Amino acid sequence: MKINIIFYFFVIIFSCNLYAANLNITVVNQKQQVIENAVIYINEAIPNLTKNSVIIDQLDKEFIPYVTVVQKGSSVNFPNNDEIRHQVYSFSKAKQFEIPLYNGKSSDPIIFNNTGSIAMACNIHDWMSAYIYVVDTDKFVITDKSGNGIIKNIPNGSYEILVWHPKLKGNVKTTAQQVTILNKDNNLDFQITQKPMMKAWRAPRSTNRRGY
Amino acid sequence: MPIQLILFVTIRDANIKTARTNIEEALQVTSEIFFSSLSQRRDSLLSKVRALSSDYAFKPAAHTNEHQTVLSTLLSYQSRVNADVMLLLTMDGQIIADTLHPKTTATEFYLPNLVELAMNSEYGEADIIDFIDNKPYILVAVPLFSPEPSHWIIMGFLINDEFSKKLQQTTKSQVSILYGALNENWRQLSTTLNDNNKILSESALVAQPWSFESSFDLVLKENSYVSIILPIRKSNNYFYIALLQRSLDKALAPYQKLHLIVASVFCIALLILILGGFFIARQISKPITILTNGAQKIEQGHYDLDIKVPQKDELGQLANQFNSMAKGLAERAKVRSLLGKVVSSAIAEQLINKGVELGGEERQTTILFSDIRNFTSMCESHTPKEVILLLNQLLTRLTASIDYNHGVVDKYIGDAVMALFGVPVADNNQANNAVLAALMMQQELTVINKELSGNNFPEIGLGIGINTDKVLAGNMGSNTRLNYTVIGDGVNLSSRLEGLTKFYGVSILVSETTQSHCNCIIFREIDTVRVKGKIQGITVYQPLGARNEIDESQLYKIKLFHDMLKNYKQQQWEMALNILNTLDNIQSEHLYKVYIQRIEKLKKRNSDINWDGIYTHEQK
């Protein structure tokens, strides 16, 4: 009987989550359009962060997913599910790498030890691009199609929340928001400024433009 | 001919116009080709840079951001694509390397607007024309995606004559690229024009009014061009323009050939026309000249024509008709001539003009009868041939005297002649003319006698009687054969008077009617006679000559004779005889003897109060 009482006590305690809360975030751009694939994370380094192994697929000459958040120190595998070879590379500061032409499973996973954004692409297929964002926290989320994301179980405390997006204009710090979590779910709205993204030239375009 | 000339000029104008229109149309089409060609060149240029931006050997090279590495990479690629300049910039426009200025690095790009244009475009690409070190370049900027835009790759091609030449190959026109502002001098960047024309094209664009994309004539040093100006780029107030030109002379070359042909045809046609005209003129004018000459000959009375026009056309027919006409006229003239011989010319004329109608009219006529004396005896002593010859000669000359005095010979009766005055052509002076004719005939006879005396012919005498009276004149005879003549007592009288000449020993006797109508002739009254078949006495006279031809002695003798007649009529025989003897003493005449004998006979008779002094001639 005593055991039962203790059990229910814990259940109640955990179900009420008295020492932590969720953060509901919506990200829009300067035009109030909801932004998908925005990375929202708590800017607070967690020591001894779990090192995961993440997979970024290459299917139908696209990287899947487009944006991947990787905890610092984790490794990423780039299995090639196409019948053709790809050559994945990055010249980003956070991690520069190049996986020579391969198919099937790549030989070695790439380990990301520096935080920041990594733009990567295929050297053969210009339109194939994807982003890895390396964070040193486990409190992060990527917005869905409706621009929403929930960072769950944030312990009570005061935090700086940052948003990153492949088209973000400027530094992540410019849109940083402070939030205090106290046993209660919070809602947070972000408005980021997107830079006009140049489209990579894909296929021959017909042009009627006059000029040389 | 003028029509042909107009045609020639019109064709020529039309050709030039067509050539011009063709060139203008061609230039319009060429404009499109030009722009399309430019567009292709730009795309080709972009493609080259894009290819580089996707080159995964280039990417790591670019990402080294090392000046020398990048520079050598750019130089290598530049020579690979035959470009004239290449640069690599950072995204914020700092030069990493510049092939035109190999030492330049880490400085601002000198054409910031190119980067700015590219930055604001959808694909991050831009193209401009601009000057680097005062040389014109076509420049493009393309971002280097790795995979995010990390650098600007700039590539440029120099605009030089080679550039124009490539455009000339596709446009088939002279291509010049110029730079400048409107109404200012233009700077020629490149051209396909030859050196002589090249010099002028810059200044010609200032002198010549023009507007974009409409053709106009531009006369350069050597050639005239139909030209069109196309705007390529505008930056501020400055334009990059393309001057496309097609030579009008060249376009007209095929037409020149046509002109030559048309001109030749024109000349040949002219020649044919002249020769043809000449030939036709000859064909027409020659027969006409022949016909005209023929007509003139006919006018002059020469009917014996045979006009020969060998043609078988209307003119030939006309010539044949002309010959027939001449023949007809000849026959008519022959008839007239014969008629004039058979009858007198005046009668012949009357017959021809008024037609031959049976019947006549009463007309005052003077009838002259002449008869040759002693002709019968002369016939006996000469051959008939000689006689006829003499008679014809005599009658011809006597007839001439009659004709001369407007008389007509009515008929020849053997050696006698009957002549009419006042018919058929009326003549108010008929009596005078008849007497003058008679006098002329007598004079003619004197001449003839002189001639005859040399030929052993005896002297010929001529008796002439003249009377004036109203007689019936006209064509008389049968329907088939007739004569123009006169009938009546007056005719008989003149015949009688002719007969009396022998009796009185005078050559001419006229009746008192005739005498009374003659004012200018001196007469001698001969006698008052009663001819056979007439009750009334008629005084007969002898014409002696025109008043101015008679001298005083003759007039005196006439006066004496007339005095004698006065005494004779008063039966003063002695007085009459005295005068007669006086006259006979002056110059003997048969007439005086006639009277002397007559008076001697009368003296033997007793004087008769009823004696009227008229002498009756019993003989015919």
Side-chain angles (χ1 to χ4, degrees), chain A residues 151-211:
Chain A
I151 303 174
K152 290 177 180 171
N153 293 323
I154 306 171
N156 286 347
S158 191
Y159 305 102
E160 185 185 44
I161 312 295
L162 300 175
V163 177
W164 175 88
H165 186 265
K167 289 188 186 175
L168 179 71
K169 191 178 181 182
N171 196 288
V172 285
K173 288 279 188 185
T174 52
T175 53
Q177 289 195 47
Q178 290 294 323
V179 69
T180 304
I181 303 294
L182 193 65
N183 301 328
K184 190 177 124 214
D185 287 359
N186 275 10
N187 292 328
L188 203 58
D189 291 339
F190 277 91
Q191 185 183 340
I192 58 165
T193 304
Q194 282 184 303
K195 59 185 176 187
M197 192 70 176
M198 289 171 200
K199 289 181 192 169
W201 183 84
R202 303 269 150 109
R205 284 176 293 153
S206 67
T207 175
N208 291 322
R209 196 148 56 110
R210 284 189 166 185

Side-chain angles (χ1 to χ4, degrees), chain A residues 87 89-92 96 98 101 117 119-124 126 128-131 166-167 195-202 204-212, chain B residues 32 35 38-39 41-43 45 50 54 56 59-60 63 91 118-119 121-129 138-140 143 145-149 152 213 232-233:
Chain A
Q87 183 174 19
Y89 74 90
S90 170
F91 290 107
S92 299
Q96 296 184 1
E98 190 170 8
L101 280 174
S117 66
M120 54 179 204
C122 173
N123 250 332
I124 300 167
D126 288 340
M128 282 176 72
S129 75
Y131 291 87
K167 289 188 186 175
K195 59 185 176 187
M197 192 70 176
M198 289 171 200
K199 289 181 192 169
W201 183 84
R202 303 269 150 109
R205 284 176 293 153
S206 67
T207 175
N208 291 322
R209 196 148 56 110
R210 284 189 166 185
Y212 60 85
Chain B
E32 291 301 316
F35 281 125
L38 271 187
S39 189
R41 286 187 66 77
R42 186 203 55 208
D43 285 347
L45 188 53
R50 280 177 202 138
S54 299
Y56 67 76
K59 280 177 198 170
H63 275 275
M91 275 321 273
M119 190 98 78
S121 74
E122 191 181 6
Y123 288 89
E125 294 173 352
D127 52 272
I128 58 164
I129 302 177
I138 294 170
L139 294 155
V140 294
F145 289 100
S146 54
E148 290 204 302
W152 294 109
E213 298 185 40
I232 300 174
R233 277 297 163 95

Side-chain angles (χ1 to χ4, degrees), chain A residues 9-202:
Chain A
F9 177 78
F10 276 101
V11 168
I12 291 164
I13 284 173
F14 279 101
S15 61
C16 290
N17 201 2
L18 289 174
Y19 306 106
N22 293 342
L23 192 56
N24 300 318
I25 300 149
T26 304
V27 181
V28 295
N29 65 5
Q30 64 270 35
K31 292 173 184 169
Q32 301 303 319
Q33 295 162 325
V34 294
I35 298 295
E36 188 193 4
N37 285 326
V39 176
I40 305 141
Y41 64 100
I42 293 171
N43 188 19
E44 191 172 271
I46 297 172
N48 304 318
L49 200 63
T50 316
K51 288 168 183 160
N52 300 323
S53 181
V54 181
I55 288 173
I56 296 175
D57 272 338
Q58 290 157 71
L59 185 63
D60 247 357
K61 288 170 252 170
E62 291 289 350
F63 289 109
I64 298 169
Y66 176 55
V67 175
T68 306
V69 182
V70 170
Q71 289 174 207
K72 191 175 166 185
S74 294
S75 60
V76 178
N77 276 301
F78 296 93
N80 183 355
N81 292 308
D82 281 335
E83 288 178 357
I84 52 165
R85 290 172 188 248
H86 292 296
Q87 183 174 19
V88 183
Y89 74 90
S90 170
F91 290 107
S92 299
K93 278 180 190 165
K95 182 72 183 179
Q96 296 184 1
F97 64 92
E98 190 170 8
I99 310 170
L101 280 174
Y102 69 99
N103 54 10
K105 199 178 174 221
S106 64
S107 53
D108 295 314
I110 308 291
I111 297 160
F112 295 86
N113 288 322
N114 298 318
T115 56
S117 66
I118 292 119
M120 54 179 204
C122 173
N123 250 332
I124 300 167
H125 307 102
D126 288 340
W127 62 92
M128 282 176 72
S129 75
Y131 291 87
I132 293 169
Y133 199 74
V134 182
V135 293
D136 47 6
T137 176
D138 57 354
K139 298 285 182 251
F140 59 87
V141 73
I142 298 173
T143 54
D144 60 14
K145 280 184 180 168
S146 48
N148 296 321
I150 304 169
I151 303 174
K152 290 177 180 171
N153 293 323
I154 306 171
N156 286 347
S158 191
Y159 305 102
E160 185 185 44
I161 312 295
L162 300 175
V163 177
W164 175 88
H165 186 265
K167 289 188 186 175
L168 179 71
K169 191 178 181 182
N171 196 288
V172 285
K173 288 279 188 185
T174 52
T175 53
Q177 289 195 47
Q178 290 294 323
V179 69
T180 304
I181 303 294
L182 193 65
N183 301 328
K184 190 177 124 214
D185 287 359
N186 275 10
N187 292 328
L188 203 58
D189 291 339
F190 277 91
Q191 185 183 340
I192 58 165
T193 304
Q194 282 184 303
K195 59 185 176 187
M197 192 70 176
M198 289 171 200
K199 289 181 192 169
W201 183 84
R202 303 269 150 109

Side-chain angles (χ1 to χ4, degrees), chain B residues 1 49 132 205 230 234 240-241 250 256 271 319 333 356 383 394 408 423 427 513 535 584 605 619:
Chain B
M1 219 59 219
V49 189
I132 302 174
L205 285 189
L230 308 172
K234 187 186 177 190
Y240 293 90
I241 57 169
K250 227 178 216 173
Q256 298 292 1
L271 200 69
V356 182
T383 63
L394 262 172
V408 300
V423 288
D427 181 6
T513 332
I535 302 156
D584 200 38
R605 274 188 349 182
Q619 67 191 78

Side-chain angles (χ1 to χ4, degrees), chain B residues 394-537:
Chain B
L394 262 172
L395 292 179
T396 302
R397 293 169 84 160
L398 294 178
T399 304
S401 301
I402 294 164
D403 285 343
Y404 183 80
N405 289 291
H406 313 298
V408 300
V409 172
D410 180 81
K411 57 175 78 74
Y412 300 105
I413 311 155
D415 58 344
V417 179
M418 177 178 164
L420 307 174
F421 293 82
V423 288
V425 182
D427 181 6
N428 288 332
N429 211 19
Q430 51 178 263
N432 226 359
N433 283 335
V435 172
L436 287 172
L439 288 167
M440 194 184 268
M441 286 161 85
Q442 292 299 347
Q443 282 174 7
E444 197 63 41
L445 191 72
T446 318
V447 178
I448 291 167
N449 274 331
K450 270 186 190 165
E451 290 168 10
L452 286 178
S453 62
N455 289 335
N456 203 18
F457 275 98
E459 194 168 293
I460 294 165
L462 186 70
I464 300 170
I466 300 170
N467 181 36
T468 304
D469 202 352
K470 280 197 167 162
V471 293
L472 198 60
N475 295 309
M476 290 157 213
S478 71
N479 268 333
T480 53
R481 194 181 160 83
L482 39 80
N483 269 342
Y484 186 89
T485 189
V486 290
I487 51 170
D489 280 347
V491 183
N492 297 333
L493 181 59
S494 65
S495 173
R496 296 271 185 285
L497 292 175
E498 181 265 316
L500 287 181
T501 55
K502 207 173 178 181
F503 176 83
Y504 291 109
V506 294
S507 53
I508 307 165
L509 276 181
V510 307
S511 71
E512 56 189 32
T513 332
T514 305
Q515 185 269 338
S516 68
H517 285 100
C518 297
N519 305 319
C520 52
I521 292 165
I522 301 293
F523 287 93
R524 181 167 68 170
E525 186 179 330
I526 300 296
D527 202 355
T528 303
V529 298
R530 187 178 287 119
V531 293
K532 193 168 171 157
K534 292 272 178 186
I535 302 156
Q536 210 85 58

Side-chain angles (χ1 to χ4, degrees), chain B residues 358-370:
Chain B
L358 213 51
E361 51 184 341
E362 201 174 50
R363 293 276 294 272
Q364 174 92 359
T365 310
T366 300
I367 304 108
L368 179 148
F369 261 94
S370 80

Side-chain angles (χ1 to χ4, degrees), chain B residues 536-554:
Chain B
Q536 210 85 58
I538 298 157
T539 308
V540 296
Y541 295 85
Q542 181 197 11
L544 294 169
R547 209 175 276 280
N548 53 345
E549 286 174 356
I550 306 300
D551 56 30
E552 285 297 318
S553 66
Q554 263 182 307

